[in-house]
Amino acid sequence: MVENCNAPCCVNCETRWDNFNNLNEDDLNYVCENRHIAEFQPGEIIFKQGAPISSAVFLTKGIAKMYIEGFDNKRMIIGIAKQNKLIAGPGTYVDERHHYTVSALTDVTACFIKMDVLKGFVHTNGKFAEGWLKDISEKSLKTFYRFLSHTQKKMHGRLAETILYLADEVHGSDQFTMLLSRQELGELSGMAKESVVRILKDFNEDKIIDDKCPYIKILNKDRLKMISNMG
Amino acid sequence: MVENCNAPCCVNCETRWDNFNNLNEDDLNYVCENRHIAEFQPGEIIFKQGAPISSAVFLTKGIAKMYIEGFDNKRMIIGIAKQNKLIAGPGTYVDERHHYTVSALTDVTACFIKMDVLKGFVHTNGKFAEGWLKDISEKSLKTFYRFLSHTQKKMHGRLAETILYLADEVHGSDQFTMLLSRQELGELSGMAKESVVRILKDFNEDKIIDDKCPYIKILNKDRLKMISNMG
DNA sequence: TTTAAGCATTGATATTTATCAATACGCAGG
DNA sequence: CCTGCGTATTGATAAATATCAATGCTTAAA
């Protein structure tokens, strides 16, 4: 982890949290003063499940995986963190503990902002409070639907969904470098790593994707969507 | 559904939302004026997935099931609604639509409060906003852990967890009338109804529970907890 | 260049879980 | 008291999925 104190101010930040649009320039400068920036290398832990939440975390560069360490040392990856999003999770207003671990998948620059500062705005700025409610609600809904799909879809559907998630929500492209191992893909889609391998092979043979080691390309997105929807 | 306009005011309501403690008497009277009370019989739908959210809903009497209607007409029961809790879900600040259906399990009295009224308090009352954030966060966390257990636990663990949930969180007693059918227990714990039957039989034979048709009694709670924890 | 470590792949097998079909049970209406 | 209907139960079977073991592949350190 490397400190870096020469980052531009939040006022003009391109990668800041959407909800910061509800703050004025003075507010943003105040945020800036209570901020702390650090860099991480792939594999490094940004924060750890169970640790107290002192700061809100935002990524300004790179992506990270968020995972719960569950029973039996099994992990469940709940999503990929990226810029413009608050990464601090639902513990903030419950027990002030992180409920999942976040670790860098690429080189990551992360911005830590004292949680007390953000909590303060909730008291004085209704729009900001509303924005935060909206933020949590959206995440909650997403968790919901991932839950539903895990409960009701079979493996092919879940993996198709995961590939679409990576393409659409994480990389914004149908062709990207796969940063997750088979093990991690399994943790994200709820199956054993061997199952991931076999299903990717199926998708390859059916020319739905082209999976050449570190690169993956979606060849037949409609088909992939159909598989995802039908389970 | 039966209307009932002679209910006591929110100011002294015993079953009101915890977050109403952050409102003063004037606020509460205002809430009261924008309220609407109705009664439901078992099986009746209180609100429906996909319908627009115009009001926040609270139960003042009885319990109800909240379920998502998913792929293939399969249902996932996400929890049992009861008093003191906001039942309106995460759609409020996202798309103003209900994302699940709620239907009465017992005779239910429900209180509908115009959502605009509550949203208004968020702008003017920081404590109230914070309370709402806390409310959503808690629910979100619960969904999280249910998700985790569905992904990682096997059927016995999931059903044990469900029985503990019903005892501790819904009925507040280790002995209660089972209001859910085997089908519904399956929808709540993510398995086929036949599997519910078989596992309940196992638990009965092992003297962990005593399941006499409409009544159920936990005989060995430690054991049940262990099964729930170990998966 | 060799070696070791970790990840990916594959096949065989075991486990878990759902589905199907048949029957039993309980209860409301005639 | 019978009848029908929905739910519960049970057993047999099939499908889905995990686990285990062996092997190959890639890469980084010695």
Side-chain angles (χ1 to χ4, degrees), chain A residues 127-140:
Chain A
K127 283 267 177 201
F128 184 83
E130 202 169 78
W132 201 341
L133 277 164
K134 188 173 171 165
D135 184 275
I136 295 187
S137 299
E138 280 168 356
K139 284 176 189 146
S140 189

Side-chain angles (χ1 to χ4, degrees), chain A residues 49 68-71 74-76 78 90-91 93-95 99-100 119 122-123 125-127 129-130 132-134 136-141 143-153 190 229, chain B residues 49 68-71 74-76 78 90-91 93-95 99-100 119 122-123 125-127 129-130 132-134 136-141 143-153 190 229:
Chain A
Q49 175 173 330
I68 297 186
E69 317 191 46
F71 323 105
K74 278 187 195 160
R75 290 173 175 183
M76 178 178 77
I78 55 177
Y93 274 103
V94 177
D95 57 2
H99 287 262
Y100 45 80
K119 283 187 176 177
V122 169
H123 282 270
N125 183 332
K127 283 267 177 201
E130 202 169 78
W132 201 341
L133 277 164
K134 188 173 171 165
I136 295 187
S137 299
E138 280 168 356
K139 284 176 189 146
S140 189
L141 269 184
T143 310
F144 246 61
Y145 285 107
R146 292 230 310 132
F147 189 3
L148 185 67
S149 93
H150 268 247
T151 308
Q152 302 197 338
K153 287 183 188 173
N229 288 332
Chain B
Q49 176 172 330
I68 297 187
E69 317 191 46
F71 322 106
K74 277 187 195 161
R75 289 174 175 183
M76 178 178 78
I78 56 176
Y93 274 102
V94 177
D95 57 1
H99 287 262
Y100 46 78
K119 284 187 176 177
V122 168
H123 282 271
N125 184 332
K127 282 267 177 203
E130 202 168 77
W132 202 340
L133 277 164
K134 188 173 170 165
I136 295 187
S137 300
E138 280 170 356
K139 283 176 189 146
S140 190
L141 270 184
T143 310
F144 247 59
Y145 285 107
R146 291 230 311 134
F147 189 4
L148 185 67
S149 92
H150 268 246
T151 308
Q152 303 196 337
K153 288 182 188 173
N229 289 332

